[in-house]
Amino acid sequence: MAFESLTDKLQNVFKNLRSKGRLTEADVKAALKEVKMALLEADVNFKVVKQFVKAVEERAIGTDVMNGLNPGQMVIKIVNEEMVSLMGSETTELELQPGKATTIIMMCGLQGAGKTTAAAKIAGKLVLKGKKPLLVACDIYRPAAIEQLKINAEKQQVEFFSMGANHKPVDIVKASLEHASKCNNNIVIIDTAGRLHIDEEMMAELQEIKANVDVHQTLLVVDAMTGQDAVNVAKEFDEKVGVTGVILSKMDGDTRGGAALSVKAVTGKPIIFVSTGEKLTDIEQFYPDRMANRILGMGDVLTLIDKVAEANLDMDSDKEKEMAARLKKGKFDFEDYLESMSQMKKLGGLSSILGMMPGVGIKASDIESAVDDKQLARMEAIVLSMTPAERKDPKLLNPSRKHRIAKGAGVDIAVVNRFIKQFEQSQKMMKQLPGMMGGFGGKKGKLKLPF
């Protein structure tokens, strides 16, 4: 999970601050020393850390804070605000040309950063906004990249343009613009070649495209898992080619946080999107305030609501009322369980949801162990091995039926018995606490969780 180590360390610092009724200057300095170490270990740029700690200290060691009703909370608030400022304060949207004018977006980055996938992800996001993008394959050195882009274009149901590997990238781009004009594509996304490291040949190719075509957005894809190296790559690309925005890929991996917290401060270029998984839908708009909340362990309910809306988790109002009525009576059955499991998958799984919820009482480092996705998959296999009648009426589950279900799910009979017992206990709890199954009111629907 992204920022896991950094979040845990900062939460420990904040816990100590909250436990003190009054704060002395020494308390604040000791806490900020720990914050500084946590940020450096997260691979945040040294100069950025130094400026950040200085800014927090200047604001925190003041009469209003020290003599306030809750000084610990005030210091945490200041840390949060300065972290938001560090990442850019304002959310930066992808700027598109007005009216019917065609927007040309050039993707760039090192090989392996996730550039080709990011191009397709952005195309899919733009389709949802009513745009008609064209994905252009200009990585002539890797036939696999051309094929990958073609496959992803088909999955995203967007148009694809390629001239193979025997033409210069600049000529492919020029031809793609003619194609876009004929086919009314109002956005052209160019997937360029990457290298294992920055070299003059790669930069010259990008510069040639920009010299011959009016590129409106140059988006650099950097691997968030590389930490400070990602920032150095961003700085060099910007100096040699000119970058308008950054996309952080692989934010679902073991991201220490350095790139997210340093890119804007070092390069002056905003992070526009973050890629949060391997699926083509796993890309989010970057919100500095939400990211700061997530890093500080304060949850990110707004992004969760957005995910609910984007996943289109609408539930028929009559069906929703019926489910609510059953819950109040403790009648939540295995069909309902499958429905909520399906909705959870669309949102990235239970661990992803818990990571965005404040106050669940689970530390970032404990979420993965608390939520075993393999265990959830086994539970789902058990339910899918039941007949529709058994799902509706668990009382039908006698020993012979349980043995058949265990065999169908590929698990031991003891696993089936334990799961059914836990499910029955959940039903009783829901009957006692009918209000516990409420959802988050999203733009389009509600989120139901099976716990």
Side-chain angles (χ1 to χ4, degrees), residues 129-376:
K129 292 185 176 182
K131 302 297 180 182
K132 193 181 179 186
L134 174 69
L135 283 169
V136 181
C138 282
D139 187 349
I140 60 173
Y141 310 102
R142 283 199 313 131
I146 297 173
E147 186 61 25
Q148 182 190 354
L149 192 67
K150 183 181 178 183
I151 291 168
N152 286 344
E154 288 170 358
K155 287 180 181 177
Q156 296 288 61
Q157 295 184 326
V158 300
E159 290 182 48
F160 169 77
F161 184 87
S162 170
M163 291 171 64
N166 298 319
H167 292 79
K168 287 180 66 177
V170 68
D171 293 331
I172 296 171
V173 173
K174 286 178 180 177
S176 75
L177 294 179
E178 288 180 20
H179 176 89
S181 180
K182 290 175 186 173
C183 300
N184 297 317
N185 296 106
N186 49 14
I187 293 176
V188 173
I189 303 175
I190 306 161
D191 180 37
T192 62
R195 301 281 196 280
L196 293 175
H197 54 83
I198 292 170
D199 63 21
E200 291 304 318
E201 191 179 349
M202 173 175 60
M203 290 303 182
E205 200 169 89
L206 297 172
Q207 287 163 353
E208 186 179 16
I209 292 173
K210 292 192 82 168
N212 286 272
V213 177
D214 189 10
V215 175
H216 303 107
Q217 294 286 320
T218 304
L219 302 182
L220 175 68
V221 182
V222 294
D223 184 342
M225 292 173 69
T226 58
Q228 189 54 44
D229 282 344
V231 181
N232 296 333
V233 166
K235 194 174 180 182
E236 200 159 345
F237 264 92
D238 185 45
E239 287 172 356
K240 294 187 176 178
V241 182
V243 171
T244 53
V246 175
I247 298 170
L248 286 182
S249 67
K250 306 180 186 178
M251 284 288 286
D252 55 320
D254 184 21
T255 307
R256 289 185 289 173
L261 286 166
S262 304
V263 165
K264 179 68 167 66
V266 174
T267 67
K269 304 301 174 183
I271 300 168
I272 299 179
F273 294 112
V274 288
S275 180
T276 56
E278 293 180 7
K279 294 178 189 171
L280 292 176
T281 52
D282 291 339
I283 188 166
E284 298 172 9
Q285 177 82 41
F286 181 78
Y287 295 94
D289 54 343
R290 298 185 191 183
M291 189 59 69
N293 285 346
R294 218 183 286 189
I295 292 170
L296 299 178
M298 297 174 181
D300 185 2
V301 174
L302 290 174
T303 295
L304 183 54
I305 290 170
D306 285 347
K307 277 178 172 276
V308 173
E310 281 187 22
N312 200 22
L313 299 186
D314 289 319
M315 187 180 286
D316 179 83
S317 59
D318 291 336
K319 187 178 178 183
E320 192 172 323
K321 286 176 185 175
E322 184 187 328
M323 186 186 238
R326 288 203 306 274
L327 289 173
K328 286 179 182 177
K329 295 176 183 176
K331 300 270 182 167
F332 182 80
D333 61 31
F334 287 112
E335 288 286 3
D336 297 322
Y337 179 85
L338 279 181
E339 170 73 24
S340 48
M341 284 287 283
S342 171
Q343 292 190 354
M344 267 202 310
K345 281 182 181 177
K346 289 178 183 177
L347 296 171
L350 186 53
S351 58
S352 172
I353 294 168
L354 287 176
M356 293 183 194
M357 291 175 66
V360 292
I362 303 178
K363 284 172 63 180
S365 59
D366 295 335
I367 288 176
E368 296 296 338
S369 55
V371 182
D372 183 349
D373 287 331
K374 288 182 181 177
Q375 178 72 4
L376 289 175

Side-chain angles (χ1 to χ4, degrees), residues 98-135:
K100 294 182 180 179
T102 301
T103 302
I104 302 170
I105 300 170
M106 185 172 77
M107 311 290 292
C108 57
L110 295 183
Q111 195 171 306
K115 178 166 36 64
T116 301
T117 304
K121 286 181 176 182
I122 290 171
K125 211 163 180 64
L126 290 169
V127 167
L128 294 174
K129 292 185 176 182
K131 302 297 180 182
K132 193 181 179 186
L134 174 69
L135 283 169

Side-chain angles (χ1 to χ4, degrees), residues 33-50:
K33 188 176 180 181
E34 289 183 55
V35 169
K36 181 180 179 180
M37 289 306 298
L39 292 172
L40 289 173
E41 285 174 20
D43 211 10
V44 180
N45 179 278
F46 175 75
K47 289 180 181 177
V48 171
V49 174
K50 192 176 178 182

